[in-house]
Amino acid sequence: MSLNSVQITCGNTVCTPGQDCINIDGMSHCMDPCQHYTPLQQAWRASNWRTNTTAQCDIGVNWQGWYRLYLNGVSTQMPEDCIQPWMCGTQAPLWMKSPHPTPSDGIVQANVCGSWTEGCCNFQFSISVKVCSGNYYVYKFVKPPYCFLAYCAEPPAKKEPTLMCTRNLMKLGLSKTMYSNNLDLLSGHMADPTCNIHQDENKTVWYQVTPEDNLCGNVMKTNSTHAIYSNTLFIYPTAMTNTSLSLPTGFPFSCVYPLDTQITMDTISKPYLSMQEMGLIGYGPAAQVVISLYHNSTFSTPYPAGPIALPVGSALNIGVNVEDIQNDNLVVILDNCYATNNSSPKDPKRHYFIQNRCISNHLQVAIIENGTSLRARFSILLFLYDGTYSDMFLHCSISLCDKKKASCTARTAALKKVGSGICHLMSS
């Protein structure tokens, strides 16, 4: 179907193609309607909105100038297919019988149809339409001839951004090919509008925030196994006017992090009876939780990298530190710590020092710090737990607990009773 381009005259001035005679502050000027429009954002205009209550009618609207359709904050357009009666919040929904214009068409006259019992085009009249450089449309709506008729909006296709949850960052990526037609991808921010760190990488704009409670509007919740950090990224429309408020599109997101972690100390302890050289073999700290062997009970100086040999009966002072988490509400709890003869924490042949949050032998194990912060400290005595002078590997599984919760308070209080032998209090 061909479209008729419109040439507008504004007083004694002939407007250039694509311009309309627009009234601003009582004065008419030749202007681009793509820069001077009113957002139309009623949710009931959606073509999939069934009219179950009072029907809407656009004959009572004081239509002035140009309009841009939005649904849920996302720019959209009128449908070009027949819409069944009793949709779009009205009785006879209005849809575009003419195809939408192309950029070279400028402002065109397009036919609009109203669906009713006698067919898809029971009512018909024309409106002006223009496509804008951001690949959106503006419409010069007029009063329909009867009630109950109302203009429809086509729900935009659902587009999901890309979410990446790393140890240090929560990153949300918006594809330029999917979003740039309607949204200014560089205009975004988190719930806190001062948090707008982003990176423009090829076809995607990435926004990022550190998973930390109360940072940039982050909200943290915990359950028995995970910590969930949530926020919302807000992106504004590509074209905004000074005469009306344009609502941003919100992209809520959450990253879930486990509270339980299995770690292995990157130190091989080899017991012996006579004094020998001492050192440490290290392969680098674990990614999120670091477990280290210290020289003495002050836990101030860890052993350097290199092999280590210690005499039987020596005290092993072990520190566990949770890194890359900045949250004063979380504390670390030692669930299980045990020794094996190899580097695999899954070896069924093991000797427990801490099991189910309870020490195995108070003569050989002492917990110095546990359940009070993001670090834990304990000491064990080095003996031949498997009867041989073989290498000893230490493994620990830990949990993070939200001390704001009563369950965590009760749990950490029970931890203090380890030395008293009341081990059944330690289970959870």
Side-chain angles (χ1 to χ4, degrees), residues 324-393:
D324 304 317
I325 291 182
Q326 300 177 8
N327 192 325
D328 294 335
N329 294 320
L330 293 180
V331 297
V332 61
I333 294 178
L334 298 170
D335 292 326
N336 298 284
C337 290
Y338 54 90
T340 66
N341 289 334
N342 56 63
S343 59
S344 173
K346 297 182 180 180
D347 190 338
K349 187 178 180 181
R350 58 185 67 171
H351 177 83
Y352 279 96
F353 301 104
I354 300 172
Q355 186 173 18
N356 296 326
R357 299 175 179 162
C358 179
I359 60 174
S360 60
N361 187 330
H362 71 276
L363 297 177
Q364 299 169 354
V365 183
I367 294 182
I368 313 301
E369 181 180 1
N370 191 24
T372 59
S373 68
L374 288 174
R375 72 177 187 178
R377 305 284 185 267
F378 66 101
S379 298
I380 61 175
L381 294 180
L382 178 61
F383 290 109
L384 306 181
Y385 292 109
D386 67 342
T388 67
Y389 288 93
S390 58
D391 295 340
M392 186 181 79
F393 295 79

Side-chain angles (χ1 to χ4, degrees), residues 265-270 279-281 283 306-309 391-393:
M265 187 168 69
D266 292 329
T267 303
I268 305 172
S269 300
K270 186 175 179 63
L280 180 69
I281 297 176
Y283 302 96
I308 180 172
D391 295 340
M392 186 181 79
F393 295 79

Side-chain angles (χ1 to χ4, degrees), residues 263 265 290-294 299 317-321 376-378:
I263 52 175
M265 187 168 69
V290 177
I291 181 170
S292 303
L293 181 64
Y294 290 83
F299 297 92
N317 302 294
I318 299 155
V320 175
N321 293 278
R377 305 284 185 267
F378 66 101

Side-chain angles (χ1 to χ4, degrees), residues 150-185:
Y151 294 101
C152 278
E154 185 71 28
K158 189 176 182 181
K159 306 170 184 177
E160 295 292 342
T162 302
L163 177 62
M164 294 178 59
C165 301
T166 69
R167 190 173 71 255
N168 302 317
L169 291 173
M170 300 188 292
K171 300 179 66 176
L172 201 65
L174 302 177
S175 169
K176 294 180 182 178
T177 58
M178 294 177 65
Y179 294 100
S180 59
N181 289 341
N182 300 321
L183 300 176
D184 179 3
L185 298 188

Side-chain angles (χ1 to χ4, degrees), residues 120 198 265 307:
C120 287
H198 62 272
M265 187 168 69

Side-chain angles (χ1 to χ4, degrees), residues 23 37 63 86 89 115 123 141 168 200 210 213 261-262 274 281 292 305 315 317 343 389 414:
N23 186 293
Y37 60 80
W63 299 104
W86 295 98
S115 306
F123 312 98
F141 290 133
N168 302 317
D200 191 345
T210 302
D213 192 20
T261 303
Q262 176 73 48
S274 60
I281 297 176
S292 303
N317 302 294
S343 59
Y389 288 93

